[in-house]
């Protein structure tokens, strides 16, 4: 698992570096990310902000926390991590769901995000 995580972080860093504008300040922007792996969420939270103009990255890995954060404030971007997207593409449940989101795919999450944002 660690080798896969390391490879993904390296790929993210490599791709992110291609589009970086070092002069752009996005520190006033807030991104909410919903993933499924707490270790990757922590690593991405440390690695991604400099590539995103120092935007604030708020990560969560389960729906209870995700919906709580959605209702607390507005975000500039709401995104799903690559792993969650892979589960969705494979028509498998996204880990971290709860009883009210059982069987949801990204389309249902998108609708919920639009309700709150």
């Amino acid at each position: 698992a660690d080798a896969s995580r390391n490879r993904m972080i390296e790929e993210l860093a490599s791709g992110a570096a291609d589009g970086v504008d070092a002069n752009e300040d996005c520190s006033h922007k807030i991104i909410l990310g919903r993933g499924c792996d707490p270790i990757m969420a922590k690593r991405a939270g440390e690695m991604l902000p400099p590539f995103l103009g120092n935007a604030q990255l708020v990560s969560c890995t389960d729906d209870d926390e995700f919906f709580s954060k959605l209702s607390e404030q507005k975000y500039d971007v709401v995104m799903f991590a690559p792993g969650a997207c892979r589960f969705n593409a494979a028509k498998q449940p996204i880990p971290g769901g709860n009883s009210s989101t059982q069987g949801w795919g990204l389309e249902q999450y998108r609708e919920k995000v639009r309700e709150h944002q």
Side-chain angles (χ1 to χ4, degrees):
D2 283 339
S4 295
R5 289 177 177 133
N6 290 340
R7 186 181 76 243
M8 184 177 291
I9 288 291
E10 289 169 10
E11 290 172 356
L12 286 169
S14 174
D18 290 343
V20 171
D21 178 353
N23 296 320
E24 188 166 0
D25 177 21
C26 294
S27 59
H28 60 286
K29 304 280 186 180
I30 305 174
I31 300 168
L32 175 61
R34 167 63 166 89
C36 12
D37 182 339
I39 294 169
M40 286 300 289
K42 181 179 183 315
R43 290 179 69 182
E46 295 166 353
M47 188 271 298
L48 286 177
F51 292 110
L52 301 171
N54 292 310
Q56 301 168 55
L57 181 59
V58 176
S59 298
C60 51
T61 57
D62 67 69
D63 284 345
D64 293 334
E65 185 179 13
F66 180 64
F67 294 133
S68 174
K69 290 186 182 305
L70 273 178
S71 64
E72 289 172 3
Q73 70 178 74
K74 298 289 185 193
Y75 293 89
D76 296 288
V77 173
V78 177
M79 61 166 232
F80 275 73
C85 295
R86 281 194 303 275
F87 277 98
N88 181 73
K91 306 230 182 296
Q92 295 179 346
I94 296 170
N98 61 30
S99 60
S100 67
T101 60
Q102 186 174 8
W104 277 24
L106 291 178
E107 186 59 38
Q108 289 86 1
Y109 283 100
R110 183 178 298 118
E111 291 172 16
K112 193 71 162 177
V113 167
R114 287 187 174 140
E115 284 177 27
H116 291 278
Q117 298 292 302

